Amino acid sequence: MKTIHKIILPVSLGAIGLLIFNSCSVRIPKGATAVKDFDAKKYLGRWYEIARFDYRFEKNLDNVTAEYSENPDGTIKVKNKGYNYLKKVWEESIGEAKFVKNKTEARLKVAFFKPFWAGYNVIDMDEDYQYALVAGSSLKYVWILSRTTTIPESIRQRFIQKAKKIGYTTDELIWVKHNQ
């Protein structure tokens, strides 16, 4: 019996440590590069979700927006909102984002349930900060964002081609409806 305790305790602690390490580490997909010379102040404000994969936490949501504002401590407040068309209710989630390295590289980590952080990597953007392609920590997460509810076809194709080149299965994108 003592032998089992000697094995279970270290294995359990190791598993907990690995879980904490993985929740605090954020990655960028292989082949993706975060935008350099990033200006966080220009990125703040409202963005409309144009496309995404079918994530569990965004299931059945239309009219999805993300609002970014600066917190007093320099972190970024993230307010995601969408309309659940099946339940006929608005859903909202508030989180926090921090830069992974420095504020001029668009690699951030975001948490809606601390201490669990996820990657938020702006990997393509127009020079006027009107359209953005955002990658998560892996090829399971990608978003196309716009300052308006539409996106020009040229930008749409540019983002799709870039995502495909990295390895995303872009045929699985959901194109978000905006009724507002």
Side-chain angles (χ1 to χ4, degrees), residues 96-124:
E96 175 185 28
K98 296 179 179 183
F99 285 90
V100 172
K101 293 182 181 177
N102 61 59
K103 292 187 176 190
T104 61
E105 183 182 14
R107 284 201 62 212
L108 296 98
K109 59 183 183 176
V110 64
F112 291 95
F113 307 103
K114 289 183 183 177
F116 302 102
W117 296 88
Y120 184 99
N121 306 287
V122 182
I123 60 171
D124 198 357

PDB file of all heavy atoms in Angstrom, residues 96-124:
ATOM      1  N   GLU A  96      -9.193  38.807 -20.388  1.00  0.00           N
ATOM      2  CA  GLU A  96      -8.042  39.689 -20.331  1.00  0.00           C
ATOM      3  C   GLU A  96      -6.968  39.168 -21.269  1.00  0.00           C
ATOM      4  O   GLU A  96      -6.778  37.963 -21.384  1.00  0.00           O
ATOM      5  CB  GLU A  96      -7.507  39.712 -18.895  1.00  0.00           C
ATOM      6  CG  GLU A  96      -6.249  40.496 -18.707  1.00  0.00           C
ATOM      7  CD  GLU A  96      -5.710  40.388 -17.286  1.00  0.00           C
ATOM      8  OE1 GLU A  96      -5.943  39.369 -16.607  1.00  0.00           O
ATOM      9  OE2 GLU A  96      -5.035  41.334 -16.876  1.00  0.00           O
ATOM     10  N   ALA A  97      -6.280  40.083 -21.940  1.00  0.00           N
ATOM     11  CA  ALA A  97      -5.181  39.705 -22.831  1.00  0.00           C
ATOM     12  C   ALA A  97      -3.902  40.401 -22.376  1.00  0.00           C
ATOM     13  O   ALA A  97      -3.942  41.528 -21.870  1.00  0.00           O
ATOM     14  CB  ALA A  97      -5.505  40.088 -24.277  1.00  0.00           C
ATOM     15  N   LYS A  98      -2.785  39.688 -22.566  1.00  0.00           N
ATOM     16  CA  LYS A  98      -1.454  40.219 -22.249  1.00  0.00           C
ATOM     17  C   LYS A  98      -0.522  39.871 -23.394  1.00  0.00           C
ATOM     18  O   LYS A  98      -0.690  38.843 -24.042  1.00  0.00           O
ATOM     19  CB  LYS A  98      -0.891  39.566 -20.987  1.00  0.00           C
ATOM     20  CG  LYS A  98      -1.657  39.828 -19.727  1.00  0.00           C
ATOM     21  CD  LYS A  98      -0.991  39.102 -18.560  1.00  0.00           C
ATOM     22  CE  LYS A  98      -1.713  39.374 -17.277  1.00  0.00           C
ATOM     23  NZ  LYS A  98      -1.044  38.740 -16.135  1.00  0.00           N
ATOM     24  N   PHE A  99       0.477  40.705 -23.595  1.00  0.00           N
ATOM     25  CA  PHE A  99       1.466  40.412 -24.625  1.00  0.00           C
ATOM     26  C   PHE A  99       2.381  39.280 -24.156  1.00  0.00           C
ATOM     27  O   PHE A  99       2.762  39.225 -22.996  1.00  0.00           O
ATOM     28  CB  PHE A  99       2.287  41.661 -24.960  1.00  0.00           C
ATOM     29  CG  PHE A  99       1.520  42.637 -25.792  1.00  0.00           C
ATOM     30  CD1 PHE A  99       0.754  43.626 -25.196  1.00  0.00           C
ATOM     31  CD2 PHE A  99       1.520  42.546 -27.172  1.00  0.00           C
ATOM     32  CE1 PHE A  99       0.012  44.508 -25.962  1.00  0.00           C
ATOM     33  CE2 PHE A  99       0.799  43.418 -27.952  1.00  0.00           C
ATOM     34  CZ  PHE A  99       0.042  44.400 -27.345  1.00  0.00           C
ATOM     35  N   VAL A 100       2.719  38.376 -25.078  1.00  0.00           N
ATOM     36  CA  VAL A 100       3.598  37.255 -24.760  1.00  0.00           C
ATOM     37  C   VAL A 100       5.038  37.752 -24.603  1.00  0.00           C
ATOM     38  O   VAL A 100       5.730  37.369 -23.664  1.00  0.00           O
ATOM     39  CB  VAL A 100       3.511  36.156 -25.845  1.00  0.00           C
ATOM     40  CG1 VAL A 100       4.554  35.080 -25.621  1.00  0.00           C
ATOM     41  CG2 VAL A 100       2.108  35.559 -25.882  1.00  0.00           C
ATOM     42  N   LYS A 101       5.481  38.602 -25.502  1.00  0.00           N
ATOM     43  CA  LYS A 101       6.857  39.111 -25.443  1.00  0.00           C
ATOM     44  C   LYS A 101       6.824  40.625 -25.262  1.00  0.00           C
ATOM     45  O   LYS A 101       6.840  41.120 -24.156  1.00  0.00           O
ATOM     46  CB  LYS A 101       7.638  38.728 -26.701  1.00  0.00           C
ATOM     47  CG  LYS A 101       7.876  37.232 -26.816  1.00  0.00           C
ATOM     48  CD  LYS A 101       8.680  36.897 -28.049  1.00  0.00           C
ATOM     49  CE  LYS A 101       8.877  35.381 -28.129  1.00  0.00           C
ATOM     50  NZ  LYS A 101       9.587  34.998 -29.344  1.00  0.00           N
ATOM     51  N   ASN A 102       6.776  41.354 -26.369  1.00  0.00           N
ATOM     52  CA  ASN A 102       6.739  42.815 -26.255  1.00  0.00           C
ATOM     53  C   ASN A 102       5.534  43.355 -27.008  1.00  0.00           C
ATOM     54  O   ASN A 102       4.929  42.665 -27.811  1.00  0.00           O
ATOM     55  CB  ASN A 102       8.057  43.435 -26.757  1.00  0.00           C
ATOM     56  CG  ASN A 102       8.318  43.109 -28.210  1.00  0.00           C
ATOM     57  OD1 ASN A 102       7.517  43.443 -29.078  1.00  0.00           O
ATOM     58  ND2 ASN A 102       9.422  42.448 -28.495  1.00  0.00           N
ATOM     59  N   LYS A 103       5.208  44.605 -26.739  1.00  0.00           N
ATOM     60  CA  LYS A 103       3.989  45.205 -27.280  1.00  0.00           C
ATOM     61  C   LYS A 103       4.050  45.531 -28.763  1.00  0.00           C
ATOM     62  O   LYS A 103       3.057  45.940 -29.347  1.00  0.00           O
ATOM     63  CB  LYS A 103       3.634  46.463 -26.490  1.00  0.00           C
ATOM     64  CG  LYS A 103       3.199  46.156 -25.083  1.00  0.00           C
ATOM     65  CD  LYS A 103       2.704  47.394 -24.380  1.00  0.00           C
ATOM     66  CE  LYS A 103       2.190  47.012 -23.003  1.00  0.00           C
ATOM     67  NZ  LYS A 103       1.482  48.097 -22.362  1.00  0.00           N
ATOM     68  N   THR A 104       5.199  45.352 -29.392  1.00  0.00           N
ATOM     69  CA  THR A 104       5.282  45.622 -30.829  1.00  0.00           C
ATOM     70  C   THR A 104       5.163  44.356 -31.663  1.00  0.00           C
ATOM     71  O   THR A 104       5.236  44.404 -32.882  1.00  0.00           O
ATOM     72  CB  THR A 104       6.609  46.340 -31.176  1.00  0.00           C
ATOM     73  OG1 THR A 104       7.692  45.497 -30.808  1.00  0.00           O
ATOM     74  CG2 THR A 104       6.702  47.685 -30.473  1.00  0.00           C
ATOM     75  N   GLU A 105       4.970  43.219 -31.009  1.00  0.00           N
ATOM     76  CA  GLU A 105       4.722  41.950 -31.703  1.00  0.00           C
ATOM     77  C   GLU A 105       3.320  41.484 -31.331  1.00  0.00           C
ATOM     78  O   GLU A 105       2.994  41.377 -30.148  1.00  0.00           O
ATOM     79  CB  GLU A 105       5.753  40.893 -31.300  1.00  0.00           C
ATOM     80  CG  GLU A 105       5.568  39.595 -32.048  1.00  0.00           C
ATOM     81  CD  GLU A 105       6.566  38.514 -31.631  1.00  0.00           C
ATOM     82  OE1 GLU A 105       7.229  38.663 -30.598  1.00  0.00           O
ATOM     83  OE2 GLU A 105       6.642  37.519 -32.356  1.00  0.00           O
ATOM     84  N   ALA A 106       2.484  41.204 -32.328  1.00  0.00           N
ATOM     85  CA  ALA A 106       1.069  40.882 -32.115  1.00  0.00           C
ATOM     86  C   ALA A 106       0.860  39.450 -31.633  1.00  0.00           C
ATOM     87  O   ALA A 106       0.026  38.720 -32.157  1.00  0.00           O
ATOM     88  CB  ALA A 106       0.278  41.155 -33.384  1.00  0.00           C
ATOM     89  N   ARG A 107       1.628  39.047 -30.631  1.00  0.00           N
ATOM     90  CA  ARG A 107       1.462  37.748 -29.966  1.00  0.00           C
ATOM     91  C   ARG A 107       0.959  38.016 -28.563  1.00  0.00           C
ATOM     92  O   ARG A 107       1.665  38.581 -27.747  1.00  0.00           O
ATOM     93  CB  ARG A 107       2.786  36.985 -29.904  1.00  0.00           C
ATOM     94  CG  ARG A 107       3.163  36.380 -31.231  1.00  0.00           C
ATOM     95  CD  ARG A 107       4.145  35.251 -31.103  1.00  0.00           C
ATOM     96  NE  ARG A 107       3.565  34.165 -30.329  1.00  0.00           N
ATOM     97  CZ  ARG A 107       4.273  33.359 -29.548  1.00  0.00           C
ATOM     98  NH1 ARG A 107       5.568  33.490 -29.428  1.00  0.00           N
ATOM     99  NH2 ARG A 107       3.683  32.387 -28.888  1.00  0.00           N
ATOM    100  N   LEU A 108      -0.286  37.604 -28.339  1.00  0.00           N
ATOM    101  CA  LEU A 108      -0.886  37.807 -27.033  1.00  0.00           C
ATOM    102  C   LEU A 108      -1.381  36.474 -26.483  1.00  0.00           C
ATOM    103  O   LEU A 108      -1.494  35.487 -27.205  1.00  0.00           O
ATOM    104  CB  LEU A 108      -2.053  38.795 -27.127  1.00  0.00           C
ATOM    105  CG  LEU A 108      -1.686  40.208 -27.553  1.00  0.00           C
ATOM    106  CD1 LEU A 108      -1.942  40.395 -29.034  1.00  0.00           C
ATOM    107  CD2 LEU A 108      -2.464  41.218 -26.757  1.00  0.00           C
ATOM    108  N   LYS A 109      -1.665  36.498 -25.204  1.00  0.00           N
ATOM    109  CA  LYS A 109      -2.351  35.375 -24.583  1.00  0.00           C
ATOM    110  C   LYS A 109      -3.615  35.946 -23.950  1.00  0.00           C
ATOM    111  O   LYS A 109      -3.618  37.070 -23.447  1.00  0.00           O
ATOM    112  CB  LYS A 109      -1.474  34.669 -23.560  1.00  0.00           C
ATOM    113  CG  LYS A 109      -0.978  35.530 -22.420  1.00  0.00           C
ATOM    114  CD  LYS A 109      -0.060  34.722 -21.523  1.00  0.00           C
ATOM    115  CE  LYS A 109       0.403  35.538 -20.328  1.00  0.00           C
ATOM    116  NZ  LYS A 109       1.216  34.736 -19.419  1.00  0.00           N
ATOM    117  N   VAL A 110      -4.682  35.195 -24.033  1.00  0.00           N
ATOM    118  CA  VAL A 110      -5.970  35.666 -23.530  1.00  0.00           C
ATOM    119  C   VAL A 110      -6.534  34.628 -22.571  1.00  0.00           C
ATOM    120  O   VAL A 110      -6.364  33.419 -22.776  1.00  0.00           O
ATOM    121  CB  VAL A 110      -6.951  35.970 -24.695  1.00  0.00           C
ATOM    122  CG1 VAL A 110      -7.300  34.732 -25.480  1.00  0.00           C
ATOM    123  CG2 VAL A 110      -8.196  36.668 -24.201  1.00  0.00           C
ATOM    124  N   ALA A 111      -7.180  35.124 -21.515  1.00  0.00           N
ATOM    125  CA  ALA A 111      -7.803  34.228 -20.526  1.00  0.00           C
ATOM    126  C   ALA A 111      -9.223  34.703 -20.245  1.00  0.00           C
ATOM    127  O   ALA A 111      -9.453  35.883 -19.992  1.00  0.00           O
ATOM    128  CB  ALA A 111      -6.996  34.204 -19.235  1.00  0.00           C
ATOM    129  N   PHE A 112     -10.145  33.773 -20.313  1.00  0.00           N
ATOM    130  CA  PHE A 112     -11.517  34.031 -19.884  1.00  0.00           C
ATOM    131  C   PHE A 112     -11.773  33.320 -18.563  1.00  0.00           C
ATOM    132  O   PHE A 112     -12.667  33.684 -17.820  1.00  0.00           O
ATOM    133  CB  PHE A 112     -12.517  33.580 -20.958  1.00  0.00           C
ATOM    134  CG  PHE A 112     -12.461  34.434 -22.180  1.00  0.00           C
ATOM    135  CD1 PHE A 112     -11.691  34.068 -23.275  1.00  0.00           C
ATOM    136  CD2 PHE A 112     -13.149  35.632 -22.245  1.00  0.00           C
ATOM    137  CE1 PHE A 112     -11.619  34.862 -24.403  1.00  0.00           C
ATOM    138  CE2 PHE A 112     -13.081  36.443 -23.370  1.00  0.00           C
ATOM    139  CZ  PHE A 112     -12.316  36.058 -24.450  1.00  0.00           C
ATOM    140  N   PHE A 113     -10.959  32.296 -18.289  1.00  0.00           N
ATOM    141  CA  PHE A 113     -11.025  31.532 -17.041  1.00  0.00           C
ATOM    142  C   PHE A 113      -9.597  31.337 -16.555  1.00  0.00           C
ATOM    143  O   PHE A 113      -8.933  30.388 -16.956  1.00  0.00           O
ATOM    144  CB  PHE A 113     -11.694  30.176 -17.264  1.00  0.00           C
ATOM    145  CG  PHE A 113     -13.031  30.268 -17.936  1.00  0.00           C
ATOM    146  CD1 PHE A 113     -13.171  29.953 -19.281  1.00  0.00           C
ATOM    147  CD2 PHE A 113     -14.146  30.694 -17.244  1.00  0.00           C
ATOM    148  CE1 PHE A 113     -14.395  30.046 -19.922  1.00  0.00           C
ATOM    149  CE2 PHE A 113     -15.377  30.796 -17.869  1.00  0.00           C
ATOM    150  CZ  PHE A 113     -15.503  30.466 -19.215  1.00  0.00           C
ATOM    151  N   LYS A 114      -9.101  32.262 -15.744  1.00  0.00           N
ATOM    152  CA  LYS A 114      -7.729  32.149 -15.246  1.00  0.00           C
ATOM    153  C   LYS A 114      -7.620  30.928 -14.357  1.00  0.00           C
ATOM    154  O   LYS A 114      -8.562  30.602 -13.647  1.00  0.00           O
ATOM    155  CB  LYS A 114      -7.343  33.411 -14.482  1.00  0.00           C
ATOM    156  CG  LYS A 114      -7.154  34.604 -15.395  1.00  0.00           C
ATOM    157  CD  LYS A 114      -6.710  35.792 -14.583  1.00  0.00           C
ATOM    158  CE  LYS A 114      -6.577  37.005 -15.464  1.00  0.00           C
ATOM    159  NZ  LYS A 114      -6.210  38.178 -14.712  1.00  0.00           N
ATOM    160  N   PRO A 115      -6.513  30.235 -14.393  1.00  0.00           N
ATOM    161  CA  PRO A 115      -5.232  30.567 -15.004  1.00  0.00           C
ATOM    162  C   PRO A 115      -5.057  29.962 -16.398  1.00  0.00           C
ATOM    163  O   PRO A 115      -3.940  29.688 -16.821  1.00  0.00           O
ATOM    164  CB  PRO A 115      -4.233  29.940 -14.035  1.00  0.00           C
ATOM    165  CG  PRO A 115      -4.911  28.673 -13.616  1.00  0.00           C
ATOM    166  CD  PRO A 115      -6.378  29.029 -13.554  1.00  0.00           C
ATOM    167  N   PHE A 116      -6.130  29.716 -17.115  1.00  0.00           N
ATOM    168  CA  PHE A 116      -6.046  29.073 -18.423  1.00  0.00           C
ATOM    169  C   PHE A 116      -5.939  30.129 -19.517  1.00  0.00           C
ATOM    170  O   PHE A 116      -6.882  30.869 -19.768  1.00  0.00           O
ATOM    171  CB  PHE A 116      -7.260  28.162 -18.645  1.00  0.00           C
ATOM    172  CG  PHE A 116      -7.372  27.104 -17.581  1.00  0.00           C
ATOM    173  CD1 PHE A 116      -8.280  27.231 -16.544  1.00  0.00           C
ATOM    174  CD2 PHE A 116      -6.543  25.999 -17.605  1.00  0.00           C
ATOM    175  CE1 PHE A 116      -8.367  26.272 -15.556  1.00  0.00           C
ATOM    176  CE2 PHE A 116      -6.616  25.033 -16.620  1.00  0.00           C
ATOM    177  CZ  PHE A 116      -7.529  25.167 -15.593  1.00  0.00           C
ATOM    178  N   TRP A 117      -4.778  30.181 -20.155  1.00  0.00           N
ATOM    179  CA  TRP A 117      -4.486  31.150 -21.195  1.00  0.00           C
ATOM    180  C   TRP A 117      -4.458  30.466 -22.546  1.00  0.00           C
ATOM    181  O   TRP A 117      -4.056  29.320 -22.649  1.00  0.00           O
ATOM    182  CB  TRP A 117      -3.131  31.823 -20.943  1.00  0.00           C
ATOM    183  CG  TRP A 117      -3.106  32.635 -19.691  1.00  0.00           C
ATOM    184  CD1 TRP A 117      -2.804  32.181 -18.432  1.00  0.00           C
ATOM    185  CD2 TRP A 117      -3.413  34.015 -19.549  1.00  0.00           C
ATOM    186  NE1 TRP A 117      -2.892  33.207 -17.519  1.00  0.00           N
ATOM    187  CE2 TRP A 117      -3.265  34.349 -18.187  1.00  0.00           C
ATOM    188  CE3 TRP A 117      -3.793  35.009 -20.447  1.00  0.00           C
ATOM    189  CZ2 TRP A 117      -3.486  35.637 -17.706  1.00  0.00           C
ATOM    190  CZ3 TRP A 117      -4.011  36.293 -19.951  1.00  0.00           C
ATOM    191  CH2 TRP A 117      -3.860  36.598 -18.604  1.00  0.00           C
ATOM    192  N   ALA A 118      -4.875  31.184 -23.560  1.00  0.00           N
ATOM    193  CA  ALA A 118      -4.853  30.675 -24.935  1.00  0.00           C
ATOM    194  C   ALA A 118      -4.118  31.675 -25.815  1.00  0.00           C
ATOM    195  O   ALA A 118      -4.093  32.875 -25.524  1.00  0.00           O
ATOM    196  CB  ALA A 118      -6.280  30.474 -25.439  1.00  0.00           C
ATOM    197  N   GLY A 119      -3.554  31.181 -26.893  1.00  0.00           N
ATOM    198  CA  GLY A 119      -2.850  32.052 -27.823  1.00  0.00           C
ATOM    199  C   GLY A 119      -3.794  32.907 -28.633  1.00  0.00           C
ATOM    200  O   GLY A 119      -4.875  32.467 -29.034  1.00  0.00           O
ATOM    201  N   TYR A 120      -3.407  34.136 -28.857  1.00  0.00           N
ATOM    202  CA  TYR A 120      -4.130  35.079 -29.699  1.00  0.00           C
ATOM    203  C   TYR A 120      -3.061  35.789 -30.514  1.00  0.00           C
ATOM    204  O   TYR A 120      -2.357  36.667 -30.007  1.00  0.00           O
ATOM    205  CB  TYR A 120      -4.912  36.083 -28.843  1.00  0.00           C
ATOM    206  CG  TYR A 120      -5.762  37.049 -29.647  1.00  0.00           C
ATOM    207  CD1 TYR A 120      -7.125  36.822 -29.811  1.00  0.00           C
ATOM    208  CD2 TYR A 120      -5.213  38.185 -30.225  1.00  0.00           C
ATOM    209  CE1 TYR A 120      -7.913  37.714 -30.536  1.00  0.00           C
ATOM    210  CE2 TYR A 120      -5.988  39.074 -30.960  1.00  0.00           C
ATOM    211  CZ  TYR A 120      -7.334  38.829 -31.108  1.00  0.00           C
ATOM    212  OH  TYR A 120      -8.119  39.710 -31.828  1.00  0.00           O
ATOM    213  N   ASN A 121      -2.902  35.357 -31.761  1.00  0.00           N
ATOM    214  CA  ASN A 121      -1.811  35.825 -32.609  1.00  0.00           C
ATOM    215  C   ASN A 121      -2.354  36.490 -33.859  1.00  0.00           C
ATOM    216  O   ASN A 121      -2.972  35.829 -34.691  1.00  0.00           O
ATOM    217  CB  ASN A 121      -0.934  34.633 -33.021  1.00  0.00           C
ATOM    218  CG  ASN A 121      -0.452  33.844 -31.822  1.00  0.00           C
ATOM    219  OD1 ASN A 121       0.414  34.291 -31.093  1.00  0.00           O
ATOM    220  ND2 ASN A 121      -1.025  32.663 -31.608  1.00  0.00           N
ATOM    221  N   VAL A 122      -2.144  37.787 -33.987  1.00  0.00           N
ATOM    222  CA  VAL A 122      -2.547  38.487 -35.203  1.00  0.00           C
ATOM    223  C   VAL A 122      -1.463  38.189 -36.235  1.00  0.00           C
ATOM    224  O   VAL A 122      -0.324  38.618 -36.088  1.00  0.00           O
ATOM    225  CB  VAL A 122      -2.694  40.007 -34.979  1.00  0.00           C
ATOM    226  CG1 VAL A 122      -3.161  40.689 -36.264  1.00  0.00           C
ATOM    227  CG2 VAL A 122      -3.660  40.291 -33.833  1.00  0.00           C
ATOM    228  N   ILE A 123      -1.830  37.406 -37.263  1.00  0.00           N
ATOM    229  CA  ILE A 123      -0.829  36.947 -38.231  1.00  0.00           C
ATOM    230  C   ILE A 123      -0.914  37.668 -39.578  1.00  0.00           C
ATOM    231  O   ILE A 123      -0.040  37.505 -40.408  1.00  0.00           O
ATOM    232  CB  ILE A 123      -0.882  35.417 -38.419  1.00  0.00           C
ATOM    233  CG1 ILE A 123      -2.240  34.959 -38.921  1.00  0.00           C
ATOM    234  CG2 ILE A 123      -0.507  34.721 -37.110  1.00  0.00           C
ATOM    235  CD1 ILE A 123      -2.294  33.492 -39.334  1.00  0.00           C
ATOM    236  N   ASP A 124      -1.960  38.457 -39.774  1.00  0.00           N
ATOM    237  CA  ASP A 124      -2.052  39.295 -40.970  1.00  0.00           C
ATOM    238  C   ASP A 124      -3.040  40.411 -40.669  1.00  0.00           C
ATOM    239  O   ASP A 124      -4.027  40.214 -39.939  1.00  0.00           O
ATOM    240  CB  ASP A 124      -2.522  38.486 -42.185  1.00  0.00           C
ATOM    241  CG  ASP A 124      -2.229  39.187 -43.514  1.00  0.00           C
ATOM    242  OD1 ASP A 124      -1.718  40.332 -43.502  1.00  0.00           O
ATOM    243  OD2 ASP A 124      -2.504  38.594 -44.569  1.00  0.00           O
TER     244      ASP A 124
END
